[in-house]
Amino acid sequence: MRHRDSDSMVLWWITVVGDFWFGVSWLLNQASKLNPIRRVPNIALLNEQFDPPAVAGGGGSSQLPCVDVFINTVDPVDEPVLCTMNSVLSILATDYPVGRHATYFSDDGGSLVHYEALLETARFAALWAPFCRKHRVEPRAPESYFAAAAADGPYAGDAPGQFLDDRRHVRREYEEFKERLAALFTIIPQRSEAYERESTKRGGARATYMADGSHWPGTWIEPAENHKKGQHAAIVQVVLKHPGDEPQLGAPASSDSPLDLSAVDVRLPMLVYIAREKRPGYDHQKKAGAMNVQLRVSALLSNAPFIINFDGDHYINNSAAFRAAMCFMLDGRHGEDTAFVQFPQRFDDVDPTDRYCNHNRVFFDATALGLNGLQGPSYVGTGCMFRRAALYSADPPRWQPGDGVSKLPDNPWRQFGNSMPFINSVPLATHQEHRPVAPPPPASLDDKRLAAELADVSTCAYEDGTEWGYGVGWVYNIATEDVVTGFRIHRKGWRSMYCAMEPDAFRGTAPINLTERLYQILRWSGGSLDMFLSRNCPLLAGRRLHPMQRVAYTNMTIYPISAAFIFAYDLLPLMWLSGSEFYIQKPFQTYAAYMFAGIAMMEMSGLVEIRWAGLTLLDWCRNEQFYMIGATGVYPAAVLHSLLRLVGLKGLPFKLTSKPQSASGGEARERFAELYDVQWAPLLVPTVVVTAVNVAAIGAAAGRVAAGGWSFAQLAGAAGGLVFNAWVLLLLYPFVLGIMGRWSKRPYLLFVMLVVALAAIALAHVALLAVLAPGSVPPFRLGRWWSGVGAIISPASWRF
């Protein structure tokens, strides 16, 4: 601050403010990691207390609480139906008492393909789930299980002599199941055409038909009024009914069923299909709106006190995951005040080097442990178990007056809507937390009345004038509904827990295409900044939010602002293209020494962090690289989006992430094919410009050195800037590979092109200076480079 001697005071002030902002951001980032805690669930102790040994699959003696499982999907093509059905199968076969968990499948596109695929899945699950229980196989998603080696790990079941034959039979059945799923895309149109020909003769309308010959109430293949995306009736269908609490043993092996299931519980958990009503003129609130409908429908059917949600591309990789989460929910120390248990996100089909930092291990294996030592990790959208009462906006027991039992508000209709059966279910779910027994279905309602109530809570108008999406359920009107929902729960005084286990609890798919990944980061960063600029700003939260948790949420929401300064720094090499000397601050050597000392200390702290978090150096490098890639192209767009919304405009449209088609089970594609696809988009342009500027800066400096245009002192002063240029290019290396497409399979070509580009820029720069500023480049001898040529060339004589 004392040496404001600069060739451009504007740039000097930018660097001062930028350095100050970087320092504040770094301190905010470190503040949440001062007390990292790793907690490990003791599943054996949980089983001893709540689920003593019984028939495989659980029995009537189990005292584990009930769990409702939510799965969300939209399109059977963009989100491959085989991938989604594998998620359902992994849940139906999970290691949790069969009568104590129910699955609610939300199809937000109202597609008949999803409904009939669910029927096929229920039929195959009658074989798959008992096979998993009998032989205790892992993982319990068949696509992942059969893709692994047959002898992957020791055998854990009770019938080793039958395992190989059973496995071969189940695999054949699974291949037929896959063919039936793929055939749905052909069978449904053909069936509809056949019914349509008969219907047309009678003057009927074109429609999509179910197997029984009736009209599908959801979206039709050929859109029609009340049967298209954004406009269709509500559908709630119970695919598998509640199985009851008593085990049901299977049949011994026979010619029709080669598997001996006489000692295995063959029951299947409850399975429900939901497609909420959609009407023009309503904002359906995407995933948050769908999950709030699941919350209400499940309350009328099973009303479990705990809920766990999945995206359609995630499956259970460790069948003990539900039990692991229960260890935290039922813990005698903090269990009653724990609102949710968050598992880390892990992914299949990510390239071995994780080019675009999909695993994000610095957050899940370092930052999350730091948050675990405060009020708990944030909610990240999937793989999270909730306490239902917390989603209903109840206070945690330690903040409740009197006996610590949650009570209904004076005006429950204003908060929950006009369904009295649903309102009556709210306190029941809370009481079951302390008395973990299976609740019966709502016996006070007959089937017609129950169907009417289910349809009512699934309509668009049900939430009008209520607190759904604001004070109750998942939060609306923001791209990052997951983070904001978790923040709202923390603000009420609840805490959360982080649970990492081996093998990983859940696994899913991630975008390995550069453009898709950038759009995903844009949605996250734009939504985070929207949160900071809204009424959900962490700085405005009440006293129930832990002070350091407030700091952590602030850091999670303001990080895109750093992009403005990072982008300016990345473009500063433009000064090297000038023919004259240029300094942001003098003496430059002192300025550079302070700058690089600060950078070195921050990088050293990062290395210490990966040491205690158990990360690899590659994890840390990928995190640094993708942060720079995001800061140059994505975060500026996120800041623009939030500014537009702040002044009342619509903001930038957020594109939903497409799932890798390799998971669809369709025709075989090259592995990691999406990694080499180039999808040009405006989001790529700023990073391309930054890359070009830094390459040009190094080339120009090389040209001046080769021509003798710099003295040794000038060269020493410029060295720091050139190191910065090279560092930026190293951080942008994955981005450049991404825009090279299939050429990136040969990374050495990138270095060849870089050398050629630097040589060309160096020659062009010297030639340009010779014409525009003849005195800035002294004559030089070609004999330095070519022996036998002693001619002296004077750049002052060059002309275009």
Side-chain angles (χ1 to χ4, degrees):
M1 295 294 289
R2 294 201 311 267
H3 299 283
R4 292 185 294 176
D5 188 2
S6 171
D7 293 332
S8 172
M9 292 304 297
V10 173
L11 287 178
W12 183 88
W13 277 110
I14 289 176
T15 60
V16 168
V17 177
D19 287 344
F20 175 77
W21 178 262
F22 294 150
V24 171
S25 299
W26 184 79
L27 289 174
L28 291 176
N29 191 37
Q30 298 305 307
S32 61
K33 302 173 184 176
L34 297 179
N35 184 34
I37 292 180
R38 189 188 305 273
R39 294 184 174 92
V40 180
N42 189 339
I43 298 177
L45 183 59
L46 177 85
N47 293 339
E48 179 184 325
Q49 294 186 10
F50 292 94
D51 193 22
V55 177
S61 61
S62 175
Q63 292 298 304
L64 286 171
C66 296
V67 179
D68 286 338
V69 187
F70 294 174
I71 306 180
N72 297 88
T73 189
V74 178
D75 190 280
V77 176
D78 289 343
E79 298 174 304
V81 67
L82 177 62
C83 180
T84 307
M85 294 305 125
N86 265 267
S87 176
V88 176
L89 287 168
S90 72
I91 295 168
L92 296 179
T94 195
D95 181 19
Y96 202 79
V98 180
R100 292 181 176 271
H101 68 101
T103 303
Y104 293 86
F105 182 93
S106 173
D107 174 17
D108 224 26
S111 168
L112 181 57
V113 171
H114 273 142
Y115 177 69
E116 297 204 357
L118 210 59
L119 296 177
E120 289 287 351
T121 301
R123 284 191 281 270
F124 177 69
L127 174 67
W128 173 250
F131 167 75
C132 292
R133 294 169 192 154
K134 177 180 178 179
H135 297 293
R136 299 176 191 170
V137 301
E138 299 285 350
R140 298 192 178 181
E143 188 72 16
S144 299
Y145 171 69
F146 289 122
D152 210 14
Y155 179 76
D158 300 321
Q162 304 173 25
F163 173 62
L164 291 180
D165 290 337
D166 288 357
R167 187 180 190 275
R168 279 192 291 267
H169 174 72
V170 172
R171 181 159 194 169
R172 285 195 300 270
E173 293 292 330
Y174 178 63
E175 293 300 326
E176 294 178 7
F177 165 72
K178 289 166 64 174
E179 292 176 2
R180 291 195 297 272
L181 288 187
L184 289 175
F185 292 93
T186 304
I187 291 174
I188 293 175
Q190 289 176 348
R191 177 207 304 153
S192 298
E193 287 179 11
Y195 280 115
E196 183 182 310
R197 283 192 294 269
E198 299 177 6
S199 170
T200 303
K201 294 176 183 177
R202 299 191 300 268
R206 301 173 67 87
T208 297
Y209 289 84
M210 302 171 67
D212 61 2
S214 60
H215 285 183
W216 170 243
T219 302
W220 287 355
I221 298 171
E222 295 186 15
E225 192 71 15
N226 295 322
H227 294 283
K228 58 186 177 182
K229 288 186 177 180
Q231 185 181 6
H232 59 77
I235 309 170
V236 179
Q237 290 287 337
V238 178
V239 178
L240 293 172
K241 295 182 179 180
H242 192 282
D245 283 332
E246 292 304 318
Q248 179 183 343
L249 302 182
S254 65
S255 57
D256 295 332
S257 178
L259 270 67
D260 180 6
L261 303 177
S262 57
V264 181
D265 188 356
V266 296
R267 293 175 302 155
L268 292 176
M270 187 176 181
L271 177 61
V272 182
Y273 173 89
I274 302 172
R276 57 181 172 142
E277 182 195 41
K278 289 191 173 181
R279 295 296 173 204
Y282 282 91
D283 186 348
H284 300 108
Q285 300 294 344
K286 301 183 176 65
K287 179 181 174 182
M291 287 196 290
N292 281 339
V293 171
Q294 286 174 299
L295 194 61
R296 296 192 291 269
V297 169
S298 64
L300 295 177
L301 291 176
S302 52
N303 199 30
F306 299 101
I307 293 166
I308 189 165
N309 83 287
F310 297 97
D311 289 340
D313 60 334
H314 278 64
Y315 65 89
I316 299 177
N317 185 64
N318 186 334
S319 62
F322 288 9
R323 296 176 184 264
M326 281 301 169
C327 287
F328 296 97
M329 291 297 193
L330 303 179
D331 183 66
R333 293 161 295 185
H334 306 290
E336 287 190 343
D337 292 316
T338 298
F340 61 90
V341 178
Q342 179 65 61
F343 291 85
Q345 292 187 13
R346 305 294 192 218
F347 301 105
D348 296 326
D349 295 328
V350 173
D351 56 297
T353 61
D354 192 15
R355 182 191 289 180
Y356 303 131
C357 195
N358 281 289
H359 289 304
N360 200 7
R361 290 192 180 274
V362 170
F363 175 80
F364 284 113
D365 294 337
T367 303
L369 295 181
L371 295 174
N372 212 26
L374 302 175
Q375 203 170 335
S378 58
Y379 168 45
V380 296
T382 184
C384 183
M385 178 176 282
F386 285 94
R387 192 178 296 271
R388 186 182 285 266
L391 289 170
Y392 289 160
S393 198
D395 291 327
R398 65 194 181 100
W399 288 101
Q400 290 176 3
D403 56 5
V405 177
S406 179
K407 298 180 177 61
L408 283 173
D410 295 333
N411 186 5
W413 301 275
R414 174 70 179 83
Q415 189 170 4
F416 299 113
N418 57 12
S419 172
M420 281 308 301
F422 173 77
I423 292 175
N424 293 334
S425 75
V426 173
L428 289 177
T430 304
H431 297 158
Q432 289 177 64
E433 297 175 12
H434 309 286
R435 185 175 51 87
V437 296
S444 60
L445 302 174
D446 57 32
D447 289 344
K448 291 184 179 179
R449 175 74 187 281
L450 174 59
E453 287 293 336
L454 291 172
D456 182 42
V457 299
S458 304
T459 59
C460 303
Y462 182 83
E463 296 179 352
D464 291 349
T466 68
E467 293 186 16
W468 284 100
Y470 301 95
V472 178
W474 278 266
V475 176
Y476 291 165
N477 296 320
I478 195 163
T480 50
E481 78 288 332
D482 46 6
V483 177
V484 182
T485 299
F487 167 75
R488 180 179 62 79
I489 291 173
H490 279 141
R491 188 173 59 185
K492 294 283 290 184
W494 292 95
R495 65 167 298 113
S496 59
M497 294 289 183
Y498 181 72
C499 180
M501 56 190 303
E502 291 293 337
D504 298 325
F506 313 113
R507 297 189 73 86
T509 58
I512 60 174
N513 179 267
L514 174 62
T515 306
E516 292 289 344
R517 176 69 167 137
L518 292 179
Y519 274 119
Q520 184 184 58
I521 298 298
L522 174 62
R523 188 171 70 252
W524 292 346
S525 55
S528 296
L529 197 54
D530 284 347
M531 174 181 167
F532 183 78
L533 299 175
S534 71
R535 64 176 185 173
N536 292 304
C537 176
L539 301 179
L540 304 179
R543 64 187 180 91
R544 295 186 184 182
L545 188 68
H546 190 285
M548 297 307 294
Q549 190 80 9
R550 189 190 309 269
V551 171
Y553 270 114
T554 302
N555 181 54
M556 283 189 284
T557 54
I558 65 172
Y559 68 91
I561 298 176
S562 301
F565 302 106
I566 293 177
F567 195 69
Y569 267 76
D570 288 345
L571 292 180
L572 286 181
L574 283 169
M575 69 181 66
W576 298 114
L577 304 180
S578 169
S580 57
E581 296 179 7
F582 190 97
Y583 293 102
I584 297 177
Q585 188 176 118
K586 304 172 185 176
F588 179 77
Q589 290 81 359
T590 305
Y591 166 73
Y594 275 102
M595 180 175 67
F596 282 105
I599 292 175
M601 286 190 289
M602 287 190 288
E603 299 302 338
M604 285 300 297
S605 73
L607 293 176
V608 171
E609 178 179 304
I610 70 170
R611 180 73 176 176
W612 63 253
L615 305 175
T616 65
L617 188 60
L618 179 62
D619 293 328
W620 176 72
C621 290
R622 287 294 185 242
N623 185 75
E624 295 285 297
Q625 288 175 323
F626 212 76
Y627 180 81
M628 178 62 75
I629 293 170
T632 53
V634 178
Y635 298 163
V639 173
L640 175 63
H641 160 80
S642 295
L643 291 177
L644 291 174
R645 283 182 55 112
L646 196 61
V647 298
L649 300 179
K650 191 174 182 180
L652 302 179
F654 289 148
K655 179 179 179 293
L656 292 179
T657 307
S658 298
K659 308 302 180 187
Q661 293 302 309
S662 58
S664 65
E667 63 178 86
R669 293 191 69 192
E670 175 191 2
R671 196 179 184 202
F672 308 132
E674 293 87 357
L675 187 68
Y676 307 111
D677 290 342
V678 182
Q679 302 175 13
W680 287 100
L683 212 57
L684 304 178
V685 174
T687 312
V688 171
V689 171
V690 168
T691 304
V693 165
N694 282 272
V695 170
I698 296 176
R704 293 184 67 85
V705 171
W710 268 340
S711 65
F712 179 78
Q714 290 173 320
L715 182 61
L722 294 177
V723 169
F724 177 77
N725 301 145
W727 180 245
V728 170
L729 292 179
L730 183 63
L731 292 176
L732 296 180
Y733 172 68
F735 175 86
V736 180
L737 286 180
I739 62 176
M740 286 177 63
R742 296 196 169 272
W743 292 98
S744 65
K745 293 182 178 181
R746 302 175 180 85
Y748 65 86
L749 292 177
L750 174 59
F751 296 99
V752 172
M753 290 189 293
L754 178 62
V755 171
V756 172
L758 292 177
I761 293 170
L763 291 173
H765 184 70
V766 172
L768 191 62
L769 286 181
V771 174
L772 301 180
S776 63
V777 181
F780 61 94
R781 292 182 179 272
L782 289 179
R784 297 178 186 175
W785 299 339
W786 297 336
S787 60
V789 181
I792 298 179
I793 307 296
S794 174
S797 63
W798 293 359
R799 295 290 183 271
F800 282 117

